Amino acid sequence: HVKHPEKGIQRIKRILKQNGSFIMVTPNLESLSRKEKGENWFAYKDKTHTSILPKEKWIELLEKNNFNIEKISSIDMFDIPYNKKFFTAVNLLSYITGFAERKSLWGDNLLIIAQKKDLSFSEYKEQVEKKVIEPYLEHPQLLQEKEYIHNN
């Protein structure tokens, strides 16, 4: 439901405290039902699913934005094209018993738990340089404008 996943992850990173956890659920391109149903898979039919990405891309985006991946598993098997009653019962039973997540990644949704990393001094310094110092180096007039405002 997020058109620009990296911007969404960056916003979460700004809001989340150091070592805070982020839990996300997203359609799983590796699911059995997607392979079975193809273009008729639930996630493709729902127009609000604007960013259906492979698991590897989600990991890349999270790690690039300073998150450690704590856990990846799959949940839900509700879009199986055969024996819906059986899989509905399996889903219900798995939630009741606490075994909703599966180590295999065949379920319809990925469950990713990531933790915002605590920055080391060198990582913090690198971020400050990138966000604060580099813009002034690329646009020296910004520094001149700031000095002018400060002096007047």
Side-chain angles (χ1 to χ4, degrees):
H1 306 278
V2 178
K3 287 185 181 178
H4 305 286
E6 185 161 18
K7 287 181 183 179
I9 290 170
Q10 289 169 348
R11 185 168 184 202
I12 289 165
K13 183 176 96 173
R14 277 194 311 273
I15 295 168
L16 201 59
K17 292 180 180 180
Q18 290 295 355
N19 298 316
S21 292
F22 168 50
I23 301 170
M24 66 176 279
V25 176
T26 187
N28 178 16
L29 288 170
E30 297 174 20
S31 76
L32 288 176
S33 62
R34 192 212 48 91
K35 292 173 184 173
E36 195 69 33
K37 293 182 102 175
E39 292 301 313
N40 290 319
W41 184 46
F42 84 99
Y44 293 147
K45 291 167 73 175
D46 182 343
K47 300 300 180 208
T48 65
H49 291 146
T50 56
S51 300
I52 302 173
L53 303 174
K55 172 188 68 173
E56 295 76 19
K57 184 64 178 176
W58 287 115
I59 292 169
E60 176 188 320
L61 289 173
L62 287 162
E63 288 177 344
K64 177 181 173 187
N65 286 284
N66 211 38
F67 283 90
N68 286 325
I69 306 300
E70 298 292 315
K71 179 184 258 184
I72 298 177
S73 60
S74 70
I75 58 173
D76 305 321
M77 291 185 82
F78 55 80
D79 202 28
I80 300 291
Y82 39 82
N83 206 342
K84 281 198 177 273
K85 287 182 181 179
F86 173 75
F87 283 104
T88 299
V90 168
N91 281 331
L92 183 59
L93 188 59
S94 68
Y95 281 104
I96 290 170
T97 61
F99 292 106
E101 62 183 272
R102 295 167 183 78
K103 296 295 179 198
S104 71
L105 295 178
W106 296 347
D108 285 316
N109 289 302
L110 280 177
L111 169 69
I112 301 175
I113 301 175
Q115 185 178 44
K116 183 176 175 181
K117 283 193 231 177
D118 198 7
L119 296 178
S120 67
F121 179 76
S122 60
E123 289 172 321
Y124 177 76
K125 181 182 171 192
E126 182 181 315
Q127 282 193 3
V128 168
E129 287 173 355
K130 185 175 184 178
K131 292 179 180 176
V132 177
I133 297 170
E134 283 180 17
Y136 286 114
L137 296 175
E138 292 173 11
H139 306 284
Q141 72 276 12
L142 292 174
L143 190 56
Q144 292 168 348
E145 290 171 9
K146 190 172 183 179
E147 287 176 5
Y148 176 79
I149 292 169
H150 179 70
N151 292 331
N152 291 316

